Amino acid sequence: MKGKEDQEMSFLDHLEELRWHIVRALAAVIVSTIVVFLCKNFVWDTIILGPTKKNFFTYRIFCEMSQSLCFGPKDTRMFTRDFGEQFMMHMVSSFWIGVIVAFPYILWEAWRFIKPGLYEKEQKAIRGVVFICSALFFLGVLFGYYVVTPFGISFLSNYTISDSIESTVSLESYIDNLTMFVLPVGLVFELPMIVYFLAKVGILSGDFMKKFRRHAIVVIVMVAAVVTPPDVVSCILVSLPLVLLYEVSIFV
């Protein structure tokens, strides 16, 4: 008898199968979110508010390299505008970190749904896709957190148009910026895998990407400008690794 994966399924069977994959993926996100929510002190004091402190890892590394490279965020007061803002930001931040933690399992569930519909040679061609995509995503998240975030926060907090204006920032604004610094960068680091799939189906080739390299750089800068807060430093910091990833994609 054929196994379940080898049996031909109807459209409704596919929907039922997809529903359970989505349910399991959402369950993983919920569990991760709850765990992060309960680890409030460590998550907030060490991770979320880490880039606002002058002893943050990135600031210390650059200062140890050379005093001329020392930089850091300006002392800025953080406030809440609404009565329940702290609770809501605790929920929102826990959810996004939960998504990041559960990302490999989400990919694995997606792969389990897609795999039965692929030929054996196609399955072999993209073997290890979950591990590679997860590694690229976490690499992007770490780059966003340890490189883009410190430079972005330092630039935005130190930028002034008048000495008579006091620097304060709402907690919601900080969380929104931190999310934009980290999560989209993790997603755009999936570029080599996206290119790999497009090459496998015959849409892209290395020669094509070389021919339109200059056009791609313009698009990359535009994408970086969209996924990062509106400042030049963040845009450049995201554009440079994306250009490097584009060159890696040509090799892939």
Side-chain angles (χ1 to χ4, degrees):
M1 292 181 64
K2 293 183 177 180
K4 183 179 179 181
E5 291 186 352
D6 297 323
Q7 296 176 4
E8 189 170 338
M9 300 171 65
S10 67
F11 177 72
L12 291 179
D13 290 333
H14 279 294
L15 285 181
E16 178 66 14
E17 190 72 16
L18 176 61
R19 182 172 74 89
W20 282 108
H21 285 295
I22 293 175
V23 167
R24 286 191 290 267
L26 288 176
V29 172
I30 292 172
V31 171
S32 300
T33 300
I34 293 174
V35 172
V36 173
F37 185 86
L38 295 176
C39 300
K40 180 179 67 173
N41 293 336
F42 171 76
V43 170
W44 276 86
D45 294 337
T46 305
I47 299 176
I48 295 179
L49 297 178
T52 64
K53 302 174 182 178
K54 296 185 182 298
N55 63 346
F56 185 63
F57 175 78
T58 304
Y59 307 136
R60 288 190 286 106
I61 289 296
F62 274 86
C63 282
E64 289 175 3
M65 291 172 58
S66 174
Q67 287 297 320
S68 61
L69 296 177
C70 276
F71 70 98
K74 184 179 180 180
D75 292 329
T76 305
R77 291 180 56 196
M78 197 173 296
F79 66 92
T80 57
R81 293 172 296 185
D82 300 322
F83 187 69
E85 185 172 340
Q86 290 196 45
F87 175 74
M88 288 304 300
M89 289 302 100
H90 188 192
M91 291 286 291
V92 169
S93 60
S94 298
F95 171 75
W96 286 121
I97 297 176
V99 170
I100 292 173
V101 172
F103 189 78
Y105 185 80
I106 296 172
L107 284 179
W108 186 63
E109 285 292 345
W111 169 244
R112 287 180 62 196
F113 176 73
I114 297 171
K115 183 180 178 180
L118 302 177
Y119 291 109
E120 186 176 353
K121 63 178 182 179
E122 293 172 335
Q123 294 180 16
K124 290 181 179 179
I126 54 176
R127 184 175 296 170
V129 62
V130 174
F131 173 78
I132 297 172
C133 286
S134 299
L136 287 172
F137 176 75
F138 285 126
L139 182 62
V141 167
L142 291 174
F143 181 84
Y145 180 72
Y146 283 106
V147 179
V148 179
T149 298
F151 278 94
I153 289 178
S154 179
F155 174 80
L156 293 175
S157 64
N158 285 288
Y159 185 85
T160 58
I161 54 177
S162 175
D163 292 336
S164 60
I165 300 177
E166 182 182 3
S167 295
T168 58
V169 60
S170 69
L171 179 62
E172 182 179 3
S173 174
Y174 174 74
I175 294 298
D176 289 343
N177 277 273
L178 182 62
T179 303
M180 289 298 295
F181 281 137
V182 175
L183 195 58
V185 179
L187 294 176
V188 297
F189 263 59
E190 300 290 349
L191 179 63
M193 286 305 299
I194 294 173
V195 169
Y196 178 77
F197 284 121
L198 294 177
K200 280 295 180 182
V201 298
I203 297 177
L204 274 181
S205 67
D207 293 335
F208 178 86
M209 294 181 69
K210 289 178 182 177
K211 180 179 179 181
F212 291 95
R213 179 185 275 113
R214 285 180 291 183
H215 302 79
I217 292 175
V218 174
V219 173
I220 285 172
V221 173
M222 292 173 62
V223 170
V226 170
V227 302
T228 58
D231 67 273
V232 178
V233 176
S234 300
C235 183
I236 293 175
L237 287 173
V238 174
S239 298
L240 290 178
L242 284 181
V243 172
L244 178 60
L245 287 172
Y246 186 83
E247 298 297 325
V248 172
S249 299
I250 293 177
F251 173 77
V252 170

